Amino acid sequence: MTQLVAGVDSSTQSCKVTIRDAATGAVVREGRAAHPDGTSVDPRHWWDALGTAVADAGGLTDVGAVAIAGQQHGMVALDADGRVVRDALLWNDVRSADAAAQMVEEIGRESWVARTGLVPVASFTGTKLRWLRDAEPDNAGRVAAVALPHDWLSWRLRGYGPADESPLGPDLDALATDASDASGTAYWDPVRREYDPDLFELALGRPMRVAGAEPTADTVVVPRVVAHDEAMGTLAVDVTLPHGAAAPAGLVVGAGLGDNAGAALGLGLAPGDIAVSLGTSGTVFGVTATEVLDPSGTVAGFADGTGSRLPIVTTLNAARVLEVIGGLLGVDHAALGELALQAPAGADGLVLVPYFVGERTPNRPDATASLLGMTPGTTDRPHLARAAVEGMLCALADGLAAVEGTGVTVSRLLLIGGAARNDAVRTVAAQVFGRDVLIPEPGEYVASGAARQAAWASTGALPSWDIATTTVPADPHPEVLEQYRAAAR
């Protein structure tokens, strides 16, 4: 009998659910729902969207296991009654930039890297807790637990939450997470694979307690970390999701993952594989068995979803760049790509430094975008379209160079995300990266990785699912990256 598993991708923009054959990975059905815009969001919208997406995917009544992958770093603060204290600050909310700088100054970059594998910037959960402590002390005083988006959704799915909204009530000790998501908090050590209580207290100003440990006065609960191949638990009761969707008793709920670890698992990345993901934001990430330390803070040494490391570089501006410039030119992504291919590599010196919403890598939260090299010959639609595509990819090429600089070997480069479906983006990627670029078949790889993990938790074995790829041959144009780097200094 075919066993079905479900994977959820709760991203910044939307919730996607994929239901697959556990043995083959074949997609049986899918569903999705939108999330609201903004960098500060009431988590209730994620719960509503999960119910809508599950219903759109035909429900979970015939599914044996589910796992949720979610956007990382978001600060979900809960009170003692399991209610959200304030809107969650998302990874792309930069109001905690000053808090991050203060925290780095207090113990030093080298200490942060040694203890957490990263240097705090505005994206990370710990810096948001520091901001909460300083900007909203009354709210900070109400906090009884801190979770991440996928932790909170998994907790709700398992039947927990405010007493009047859930069958099992506000049991904060039932909160759980996984290593990949915990490693993006700035208070978890990916080497010792445990929380760093001193860093949590440095952030919020109050001591932490891991869920399930003996309660002590004034402590704040953080989710226990579940092994990647284990389950958070099995539903003891039927759970009704928003909009009538149901999660039946007996459903196994996997540990879940951070979104990039989910994509890595969905792609089946092995050491030597690096993925460049082009969503609204951009990421460069891979899998390695060795420790990743970058005192510059450019590369974060996260955990992946298999027990290895996930070196990662993140930019705030990726497909967003194409949306902004496409909107200016009055064209969609496809037409923007056609325009871009009408201009030569390097756009005759026109360079777009695409910091439209500030930037995380490099750490310039207050930066704005700039356009350089405008002449009568370059100030036209094709050159601007070309500069947009090149600016987006050059920023990520710098990220790839930083990952290689930590000693990670790059044998294969995969390009994923919505923007990777654009022919111009593929062509320019082979020029900017200067190597063969593999394009996996279109798919929801974060949700797919969550589904693979669900199968792992349910059956005890990680399934192998085949993925077809096409190759765009290398066409090196080093001058494109050189002129971008000169402009972005």
Side-chain angles (χ1 to χ4, degrees), residues 70 112 329:
W112 279 105
L329 298 178

Side-chain angles (χ1 to χ4, degrees), residues 248-427:
L251 181 70
V252 174
V253 180
L257 313 95
D259 50 1
N260 292 294
L265 196 60
L267 289 164
L269 296 189
D273 293 338
I274 297 290
V276 175
S277 178
L278 303 174
T280 301
S281 61
T283 51
V284 179
F285 59 91
V287 173
T288 179
T290 59
E291 185 176 349
V292 177
L293 297 175
D294 179 10
S296 76
T298 303
V299 181
F302 290 179
D304 79 336
T306 68
S308 295
R309 298 302 186 81
L310 188 86
I312 184 168
V313 175
T314 303
T315 68
L316 294 180
N317 301 276
R320 180 195 314 277
V321 180
L322 307 187
E323 292 164 5
V324 171
I325 300 302
L328 177 65
L329 298 178
V331 296
D332 61 14
H333 280 201
L336 184 76
E338 292 171 4
L339 283 171
L341 292 178
Q342 295 173 23
D348 292 319
L350 188 69
V351 179
L352 176 66
V353 182
Y355 301 159
F356 286 104
V357 290
E359 192 46 88
R360 168 173 167 174
T361 308
N363 183 26
R364 299 176 183 173
D366 299 321
T368 56
S370 56
L371 186 65
L372 300 90
M374 298 177 71
T375 69
T378 62
T379 309
D380 60 18
R381 291 160 63 83
H383 282 85
L384 182 54
R386 182 85 188 201
V389 175
E390 289 180 346
M392 173 185 72
L393 290 168
C394 283
L396 291 162
D398 276 346
L400 177 63
V403 170
E404 288 185 285
T406 66
V408 174
T409 299
V410 181
S411 302
R412 297 196 311 157
L413 184 67
L414 294 85
L415 194 68
I416 63 171
R421 301 176 188 180
N422 187 296
D423 287 341
V425 171
R426 298 178 180 192
T427 298

Side-chain angles (χ1 to χ4, degrees), residues 73 96 118-128 184-186 300 302 360:
H73 315 318
S96 56
L118 53 83
V119 176
V121 294
S123 298
F124 297 127
T125 315
T127 70
K128 299 178 190 305
T185 60
F302 290 179
R360 168 173 167 174

